[in-house]
Amino acid sequence: DAKTTQPNSMESNEEEPVHLPCNHSTISGTDYIHWYRQLPSQGPEYVIHGLTSNVNNRMASLAIAEDRKSSTLILHRATLRDAAVYYCILSVVNRDDKIIFGKGTRLHILP
Amino acid sequence: SAVISQKPSRDICQRGTSLTIQCQVDSQVTMMFWYRQQPGQSLTLIATANQGSEATYESGFVIDKFPISRPNLTFSTLTVSNMSPEDSSIYLCSVWTSGRTDTQYFGPGTRLTVL
């Protein structure tokens, strides 16, 4: 499985945008970029995923570099409830494919 | 979406005993996945369970230690056998579901403490 690299932790102020980076220089052409997050004492939850184009949903935006070797998860207006560990994962979108987690980025939101 | 429940939500067990964790999904799924999350760590995939066949284990995990059953398309169990304190972890099951977005859903986890 292709590897991703994320900062161990980041801090942001409440109500400000947050940009969470992810490097994936060995990404293959069939790999989708997924983001999951894990709130305290909960299982991971899906945030967003994309292949080549930037993606937006109600939770976040995903900006993908033109060469696909890096991506950025954007939380437009962070709240205290966004404090979590964010995982950037590469996977072929296949209903039976396994997801391998890296270490993720622990996001701290300052009130 | 999928609603996944796990039982028990937590347990404290003695060294050398075994615990069976149940995972129930509210829809039929082909594959179910079992993960372990040790304290302060990320998730590690234990095995993939396909209904009607033997589970596929990841490197470092063996069937004798983590036997898995998958009797139907909505249910699976993971047994942690002959437990030691190193098995103290959160165990999570997950499934893929289809819809507007194919995504993987996770159960709430079972927090296991081995004394």
Side-chain angles (χ1 to χ4, degrees):
Chain A
D1 299 301
K3 186 177 169 64
T4 63
T5 305
Q6 299 177 251
N8 289 333
S9 67
M10 291 182 63
E11 269 186 4
S12 179
N13 294 319
E14 194 177 11
E15 299 188 4
E16 290 187 356
V18 181
H19 291 237
L20 295 161
C22 180
N23 288 321
H24 29 79
S25 59
T26 59
I27 190 170
S28 73
T30 56
D31 283 333
Y32 282 73
I33 302 157
H34 296 251
W35 283 83
Y36 284 76
R37 73 178 184 180
Q38 188 173 21
L39 301 171
S41 301
Q42 295 188 26
E45 63 175 354
Y46 168 83
V47 177
I48 200 167
H49 79 281
L51 183 62
T52 56
S53 303
N54 295 344
V55 184
N56 299 295
N57 66 20
R58 64 174 179 81
M59 289 181 71
S61 296
L62 176 60
I64 302 172
E66 197 169 332
D67 63 4
R68 299 208 329 124
K69 294 186 176 182
S70 65
S71 60
T72 302
L73 178 71
I74 302 165
L75 307 179
H76 293 286
R77 196 161 170 262
T79 70
L80 295 176
R81 288 173 293 181
D82 291 320
V85 179
Y86 286 79
Y87 297 99
C88 169
I89 298 163
L90 302 183
S91 176
V92 174
V93 175
N94 178 304
R95 206 158 297 166
D96 297 334
D97 198 30
K98 59 189 180 184
I99 282 185
I100 304 298
F101 284 79
K103 296 188 187 305
T105 296
R106 183 173 296 277
L107 177 63
H108 302 274
I109 304 296
L110 306 175
Chain B
S1 66
V3 177
I4 304 173
S5 60
Q6 289 185 230
K7 289 182 181 179
S9 58
R10 60 177 61 225
D11 207 342
I12 300 173
C13 301
Q14 295 297 319
R15 180 196 299 260
T17 62
S18 298
L19 176 72
T20 295
I21 301 168
Q22 299 178 6
C23 178
Q24 179 76 51
V25 188
D26 68 343
S27 58
Q28 294 184 339
V29 294
T30 306
M31 294 291 193
M32 296 179 78
F33 304 88
W34 286 98
Y35 289 84
R36 179 176 75 181
Q37 187 169 29
Q38 295 176 300
Q41 303 296 313
S42 181
L43 285 78
T44 301
L45 182 64
I46 297 172
T48 303
N50 191 3
Q51 193 267 336
S53 63
E54 292 282 333
T56 302
Y57 288 82
E58 298 296 308
S59 175
F61 296 96
V62 295
I63 188 171
D64 290 345
K65 175 67 176 177
F66 297 101
I68 288 171
S69 78
R70 183 79 204 277
N72 58 52
L73 290 173
T74 64
F75 187 79
S76 177
T77 67
L78 170 77
T79 298
V80 186
S81 303
N82 187 24
M83 288 183 287
S84 67
E86 292 71 34
D87 294 319
S88 298
S89 293
I90 299 173
Y91 293 85
L92 302 102
C93 66
S94 73
V95 302
W96 280 98
T97 65
S98 62
R100 291 180 58 196
T101 303
D102 282 356
T103 186
Q104 198 163 2
Y105 286 87
F106 289 80
T110 295
R111 183 179 295 272
L112 170 62
T113 301
V114 184
L115 303 177

